[in-house]
């Protein structure tokens, strides 16, 4: 009996330790190392054959040099700031687009809802990369959107959208929209319509009932949706590379460049560790909100 | 309003000079092909506790929602205090509603729930505080002001909903099945609380319910509805003792109904022949409107029937039958008796003796007897 219990407890912990904690410690260790022209491309490596002295030697060679480098070179902190700014703005834009969609879905006749839900999830069935690529085709100067607008006669010369921040925002809002819609939808769907009637009965207009009842009741969904967009967008790499051109610097792109172009694994690891530390705050907040929501529904 | 009627009892509906608070004039409401309320006329007076009673789908909730402003009549007019209110939205009416689900705002405390309506007015902050405190006192919720709705029991939530809907001191309070979610014992207690609060505040209450006992307990008048029509509007006593149709008689309390043909046998006396082999039932009743040979229903309440092993009972209507079942309810027993003509009758007797001294038992041949004036003759 006890053994079975132990086994049940051990499996998820083993998973977390093996696939999260150990890789994290490896990255942390690399970030404290120096680059080297070797395989793997950093020193020191742990040499257990040298015994206790080898371990001592190994730890003495680790230092915070890479973090100091990130601090002094403005490229890195500018990329961090740019990432957080882009993530914040695009989270707001996604909320702006996602909330009305979620609201319309939750108020749709219940027979339609599964279909609408399906339509929201459907894009996930095609490759993310292909979907972002197709936006290149739509947004480029000679692309579908410009051709269409010029054909309708609305514009004379094509918009320059691709390789601008606008294209990045379009790509992010499009890609992350389901993560915003689904949590908001699930809170709005549970809402009792008679609450809105009660608000109107007590003197609200339908607009004030929306702000005083609907929005506060959807707040856990809104917060969850915002975190689900904000956290991954911070590390986003594909969308800024494909749609943003060279002028958009996001930290995910810097990370890629360090790993694959510079082959500077220690600096890249340091960037990854800093990114993680920045995201720990919203992740912890997100979990607290989720916990609160669970308490409220009990 | 109507105070010049120098009657001790509260009965403004009998006063031709009284101005009704609510007046429905030929109101019809259709949803597509479905007629929820059919050409209905109704008046409700100030300070009344008015109950709309009927089976589900009879149109009573639609009627209530039209008063609240959530539905507009397809045709006809609704007047509140003499004003047409057909197109007035819910937030502009001096009417508040207590919802069946209570519809308490889950993100707000009890205090803020009650203050919600007051904050939509131009009321000063201090006044709002005083008013909320008054409502908490009225509904005995003073210790719970800071709690959220999910931290309250069902009965407490019901009282918050009541306090919130009364906070704005509406001319008219609508209650949609306000006690349906409570268990039986709490429901009975709450009925008296509701009556008490209604009396203290002097607000006109219109309550929707499907529970006839609840309607009879709380209401000054009861309206029985069926399929969008008003069948009868009367005080609980009148509606119980004098239902105007078989449906109302059957809906309100228990009743035995027997079909037969009428014969006028004297001034104010009808004889109803219900079986070839049995003497007719005699009923003292206004004979006007009846004719010989007319088919009628005779309705008699179980508690008005005596059960006896002999024919000694002096009451004139006597019918022989066999005891099929006895339901022992403690204070009373209900005897299910099959008459010789095959019809089942219920008769209710007070258990004046202890159960072990009961004379009548299963399969006994018994005589049911009742007076001439105990029953009613109904045409529809």
């Amino acid at each position: 009996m006890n053994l079975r219990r132990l086994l049940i407890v051990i499996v998820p912990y083993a998973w977390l330790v093996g696939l999260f904690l150990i890789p994290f410690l490896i990255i942390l260790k690399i970030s404290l190392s120096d680059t080297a022209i070797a395989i793997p491309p950093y020193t020191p490596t742990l040499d257990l054959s040298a015994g206790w002295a080898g371990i001592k030697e190994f730890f003495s060679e680790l230092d915070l040099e890479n973090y100091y480098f990130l601090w002094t070179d403005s490229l890195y902190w500018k990329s961090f700031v740019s990432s957080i700014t882009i993530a914040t703005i695009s989270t707001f834009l996604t909320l702006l687009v996602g909330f009305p969609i979620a609201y319309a879905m939750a108020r749709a006749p219940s027979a339609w809802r599964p279909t609408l839900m399906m339509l929201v999830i459907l894009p996930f069935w095609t490759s993310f990369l292909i979907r972002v690529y197709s936006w290149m085709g739509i947004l480029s100067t000679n692309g579908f959107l410009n051709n269409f607008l010029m054909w309708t006669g609305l514009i004379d010369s094509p918009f320059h959208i691709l390789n601008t921040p606008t294209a990045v925002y379009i790509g992010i809002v499009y890609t992350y929209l389901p993560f915003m819609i689904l949590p908001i939808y699930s809170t709005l769907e549970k809402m009792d319509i008679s609450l809105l009637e009660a608000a109107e009965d007590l003197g609200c207009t339908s607009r004030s009932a929306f702000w005083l009842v609907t929005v506060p009741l959807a707040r856990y969904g809104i917060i969850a949706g915002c975190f689900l967009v904000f956290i991954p967008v911070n590390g986003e790499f594909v969308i800024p590379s494909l749609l943003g051109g060279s002028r958009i610097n996001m930290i995910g792109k810097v990370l890629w460049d360090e790993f694959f172009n510079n082959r500077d694994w220690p600096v890249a690891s340091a960037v990854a560790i800093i990114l993680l530390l920045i995201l720990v705050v919203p992740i912890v907040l997100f979990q607290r909100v989720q916990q609160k929501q669970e308490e409220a529904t009990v | 309003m109507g105070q010049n009627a120098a009657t001790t009892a509260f009965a403004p509906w009998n006063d031709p000079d009284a101005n009704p608070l609510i007046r429905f004039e030929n109101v019809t409401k259709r949803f597509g092909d479905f007629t929820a309320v059919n050409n209905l006329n109704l008046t409700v007076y100030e300070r009344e506790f008015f109950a709309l009673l009927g089976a589900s789908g009879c149109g009573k909730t639609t009627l209530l929602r039209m008063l609240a402003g959530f539905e507009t009549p397809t045709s006809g007019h609704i007047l509140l205090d003499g004003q047409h209110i057909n197109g007035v939205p819910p937030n502009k009416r001096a009417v508040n509603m207590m919802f069946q689900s209570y519809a308490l705002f889950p993100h707000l405390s009890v205090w803020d729930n009650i203050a919600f309506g007051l904050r939509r007015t131009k009321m000063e902050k201090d006044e709002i505080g005083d008013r909320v405190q008054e409502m908490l006192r009225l509904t005995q919720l003073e210790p719970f002001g800071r709690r959220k709705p999910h931290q309250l029991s069902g009965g407490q939530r019901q009282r918050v909903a009541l306090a919130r809907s009364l906070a704005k001191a509406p001319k008219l309070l609508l209650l949609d099945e306000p006690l349906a979610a409570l268990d039986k014992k709490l429901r009975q207690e709450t009925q008296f609380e509701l009556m008490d609060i209604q009396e203290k505040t002097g607000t006109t209450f219109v309550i929707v319910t499907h529970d006839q006992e609840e309607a009879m307990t709380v209401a000054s008048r009861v309206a029985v509805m069926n399929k969008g029509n008003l069948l009868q509007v009367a005080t609980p006593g009148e509606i119980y003792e004098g239902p105007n149709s078989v449906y109302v008689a059957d809906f309100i309390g228990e009743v035995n109904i027997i079909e037969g043909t009428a014969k006028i046998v004297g001034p104010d006396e009808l004889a109803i022949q219900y079986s070839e082999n049995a003497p007719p039932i005699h009923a003292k009743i206004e004979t006007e409107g009846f004719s010989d040979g007319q088919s009628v229903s005779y309705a008699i309440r179980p508690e008005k029937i005596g059960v006896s092993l002999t024919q000694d009972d002096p009451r004139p209507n006597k019918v022989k039958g066999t005891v099929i079942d006895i339901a022992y309810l403690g204070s009373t027993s209900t005897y299910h008796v099959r008459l010789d003509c095959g019809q089942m009758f219920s008769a209710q007797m007070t258990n004046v003796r202890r159960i072990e001294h009961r004379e009548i038992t299963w399969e006994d041949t018994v005589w049911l007897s009742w007076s001439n004036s105990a029953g009613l003759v109904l045409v529809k």
Side-chain angles (χ1 to χ4, degrees), chain A residues 137-209:
Chain A
I138 294 169
L139 296 176
S140 72
T141 317
N142 221 344
F144 185 74
L145 181 67
N146 275 316
N147 282 344
F148 177 74
L149 288 177
M150 301 223 320
W151 174 76
T152 58
L154 283 169
I155 54 168
D156 298 326
S157 53
F159 281 125
H160 185 65
I161 304 175
L162 194 64
N163 299 333
T164 65
T166 314
V168 176
Y169 290 129
I170 291 174
I172 291 175
V173 170
Y174 165 77
T175 311
Y176 287 91
L177 201 57
F179 296 106
M180 185 63 85
I181 292 175
L182 294 178
I184 297 178
Y185 168 75
S186 78
T187 53
L188 286 178
E189 197 214 6
K190 274 184 279 178
M191 204 180 116
D192 181 2
I193 298 296
S194 64
L195 291 176
L196 291 178
E197 287 186 343
E200 277 188 55
D201 186 65
L202 293 166
C204 279
T205 57
S206 41
R207 180 189 297 212
S208 60

Side-chain angles (χ1 to χ4, degrees), chain B residues 307-328:
Chain B
V307 186
S308 166
L309 289 168
T310 62
Q311 285 196 62
D312 297 345
D313 196 301
R315 289 182 280 191
N317 286 309
K318 273 190 198 46
V319 181
K320 193 156 79 81
T322 315
V323 175
I324 299 296
D325 236 328
I326 305 173
Y328 175 71

Side-chain angles (χ1 to χ4, degrees), chain A residues 194 197 201-202 204 212, chain B residues 65 91 96-97 101 107 168:
Chain A
S194 64
E197 287 186 343
D201 186 65
L202 293 166
C204 279
L212 291 167
Chain B
R65 290 174 61 82
N91 54 354
N96 283 121
M97 176 147 161
S101 64
H107 59 296
K168 289 180 90 174

Side-chain angles (χ1 to χ4, degrees), chain B residues 186-216:
Chain B
L186 190 57
R187 194 157 65 220
Q188 284 170 343
E189 284 171 29
T190 315
Q191 284 168 1
F192 288 103
E193 263 178 46
L194 265 186
M195 291 160 75
D196 198 38
I197 287 171
Q198 194 260 347
E199 210 157 294
K200 269 187 202 155
T201 58
T203 314
T204 311
F205 278 27
V206 174
I207 184 176
V208 153
T209 178
H210 64 271
D211 180 345
Q212 51 101 4
E213 233 175 275
E214 185 174 301
M216 308 259 298

